[in-house]
Amino acid sequence: MQLTHSKEARHILGVVKQLAKENFAARASQYDLESRFPYENYQDLREHGILSLMVPERYGGLGANSRLMGEVLKELAKACGSTANTFNMHCTVINILKEMANEEQKQRLFREVVEHGKLFASVTSEPTSSLRGNFKPSTIARKVDGGYVVSGVKHFASLSSAADYFNTLCQIEGTTSVEDGLIMLTIPSSTPGVTIEDTWNAMGMRGTASHTIHFKECFVEEANAIGEPGDAVRKNVSDGYAFGFAAVGIGLAEAALDFTVSYAQNTTFKPEIHPISHYPTIQHRVAEMALEIEAAKQLLYQAADARDYGTAEDRVLPVTIAKYVGTEVAVKVTDLAIRVCGGRAYMKKFPLERIHRDARAGMVMPPNNDKCLEIIGKASLGLDVNAGWLEKKS
């Protein structure tokens, strides 16, 4: 599927918009309140075949390009940030499998998504290491006959309680660097030795179920090792997460703008006879919100085209810029929305305070926004750019 405005793409986006408006938006506050994964939303997505959005058409999927993925994530985020953020993880894992998996793995794993509606989670972050610097997992994969035995702990694992497969980064026992020892294993969540610890109680994105996963002597078949050791670094496949975070941020900003416009158009304070939408100060702030969003969208589209048509090196800078701007705009626009709407923005019966909390998560998602600035600065200064959250050691 080459064009976002193709007939097929318009149909997919129409289905997502309808689900988001009629179902997801009404459920979002409860997921947030209970810090509960949006199972019902995912059942809707499953029933309409949307879980196969990024699976290529040759494997029975919808075969979306990056532009359509961005549009879908924006629409989901406008209704429920947690649904959008977790769907980004699922879609990005599918994209990684497209680039790294062999043909047998693609046939088998994509069939799981298309025919059985299975969910894939990205399992990378660890309590003992940080993605701020040179990342080397403490989760160890010991080579044995027929596969690997995995032991370690991962945290901030979005979709942990709902995913059927954990796409997990491990370090092969006995290796000293990620270039020769980082291995990507697709681990079924039902694998003996896998346990989930309910640890996610966050300020925002409360429905992502980003709990802690413990792997204790878990056997993983060789057939579920994706690519060769070090491929996750060499092939630079991590940028899809950043692209999706940008789209989610823009969707949250659009939701804040929509709420603000409706509020301004329908709120009048006596003795005025006109709603506050007639105030020049309100018009200025709404204009600023709209301009920030439009600029971020154009950068997102540039990043989408770079992802679909450029080399791995070509897409580093546009994706990094889109991620930084999209997530920063989410915070700025929701701040402006609160200024316009005043005290009512603090009330939980309205969605704005939840949108504002969800928006703040984007800044710390990998690569965090300080890292984004470092990458952009290096590129501007003519220095070597090492993108994303998986870095070679210097």
Side-chain angles (χ1 to χ4, degrees):
M1 188 175 301
Q2 298 300 314
L3 300 174
T4 308
H5 57 265
S6 69
K7 181 179 179 181
E8 295 87 351
R10 289 197 304 271
H11 171 73
I12 294 167
L13 196 56
V15 169
V16 171
K17 285 182 176 180
Q18 184 175 0
L19 289 174
K21 182 179 180 180
E22 296 182 0
N23 296 358
F24 301 174
R27 299 168 179 159
S29 61
Q30 200 64 27
Y31 295 140
D32 176 74
L33 179 65
E34 298 175 0
S35 192
R36 182 170 66 87
F37 187 80
Y39 289 104
E40 295 85 355
N41 290 356
Y42 271 89
Q43 185 58 31
D44 287 342
L45 293 171
R46 183 175 289 108
E47 289 176 359
H48 288 83
I50 305 300
L51 296 186
S52 67
L53 181 72
M54 304 311 297
V55 174
E57 290 177 305
R58 62 176 293 205
Y59 299 103
L62 298 178
N65 61 12
S66 294
R67 281 208 179 202
L68 182 55
M69 174 181 165
E71 292 295 330
V72 166
L73 289 173
K74 286 201 295 105
E75 292 301 323
L76 293 176
K78 287 167 70 173
C80 177
S82 292
T83 299
N85 229 30
T86 48
F87 192 62
N88 175 41
M89 301 296 185
H90 170 77
C91 288
T92 301
V93 171
I94 299 302
N95 280 330
I96 288 173
L97 293 175
K98 283 194 297 187
E99 295 198 38
M100 288 183 55
N102 61 38
E103 184 61 25
E104 184 279 328
Q105 290 168 335
K106 290 177 183 177
Q107 293 278 359
R108 172 167 49 88
L109 295 175
F110 291 161
R111 187 183 307 118
E112 288 283 84
V113 179
V114 174
E115 297 182 8
H116 305 292
K118 300 298 185 181
L119 273 176
F120 284 71
S122 173
V123 181
T124 302
S125 299
E126 297 186 348
T128 58
S129 59
S130 173
L131 299 175
R132 291 177 179 269
N134 292 323
F135 175 72
K136 182 180 177 182
S138 298
T139 300
I140 300 300
R142 186 177 77 253
K143 190 71 179 75
V144 297
D145 288 343
Y148 296 86
V149 173
V150 176
S151 294
V153 180
K154 298 286 189 178
H155 70 169
F156 302 158
S158 298
L159 294 108
S160 59
S161 60
D164 301 284
Y165 292 93
F166 298 137
N167 209 55
T168 309
L169 288 177
C170 310
Q171 190 73 19
I172 297 175
E173 186 178 55
T175 60
T176 58
S177 70
V178 293
E179 291 96 325
D180 60 16
L182 188 71
I183 188 74
M184 183 176 291
L185 302 175
T186 297
I187 304 176
S189 59
S190 58
T191 300
V194 174
T195 57
I196 298 170
E197 182 183 0
D198 189 343
T199 55
W200 186 247
N201 186 16
M203 176 176 72
M205 294 293 178
R206 290 174 51 77
T208 59
S210 302
H211 301 305
T212 299
I213 303 177
H214 298 266
F215 298 99
K216 185 176 181 180
E217 293 289 299
C218 301
F219 175 72
V220 182
E221 296 180 356
E222 182 74 43
N224 279 357
I226 309 299
E228 297 297 324
D231 275 357
V233 177
R234 288 187 292 270
K235 295 189 176 183
N236 189 30
V237 296
S238 62
D239 66 302
Y241 297 105
F243 175 79
F245 295 142
V248 171
I250 296 168
L252 292 169
E254 288 182 333
L257 176 59
D258 289 347
F259 179 86
T260 303
V261 168
S262 177
Y263 176 83
Q265 290 173 335
N266 294 282
T267 301
T268 303
F269 294 114
K270 296 179 180 180
E272 297 288 342
I273 61 172
H274 297 296
I276 64 171
S277 58
H278 288 248
Y279 297 178
T281 54
I282 300 298
Q283 294 165 2
H284 293 168
R285 283 178 172 158
V286 168
E288 187 176 0
M289 295 163 70
L291 288 169
E292 293 279 356
I293 291 171
E294 185 59 32
K297 285 166 61 177
Q298 295 307 314
L299 291 170
L300 182 72
Y301 299 149
Q302 290 179 25
D305 291 344
R307 280 178 48 75
D308 288 338
Y309 307 115
T311 65
E313 292 74 20
D314 291 336
R315 66 198 194 196
V316 168
L317 189 57
V319 168
T320 303
I321 292 173
K323 193 274 178 178
Y324 178 84
V325 174
T327 54
E328 291 287 340
V329 162
V331 175
K332 182 174 182 178
V333 167
T334 54
D335 275 341
L336 287 169
I338 289 172
R339 292 175 186 271
V340 171
C341 300
R344 290 163 181 78
Y346 280 79
M347 304 302 292
K348 285 190 176 291
K349 68 177 180 178
F350 300 120
L352 189 53
E353 65 87 28
R354 169 176 48 81
I355 295 168
H356 180 62
R357 287 186 285 106
D358 283 349
R360 305 197 75 83
M363 298 184 297
V364 300
M365 294 294 187
N368 68 61
N369 284 9
D370 284 341
K371 183 64 179 178
C372 288
L373 288 177
E374 179 186 328
I375 294 168
I376 296 165
K378 284 180 177 179
S380 301
L381 292 165
L383 302 175
D384 182 46
V385 175
N386 199 344
W389 38 263
L390 295 178
E391 297 189 53
K392 297 178 183 178
K393 283 191 171 184
S394 56

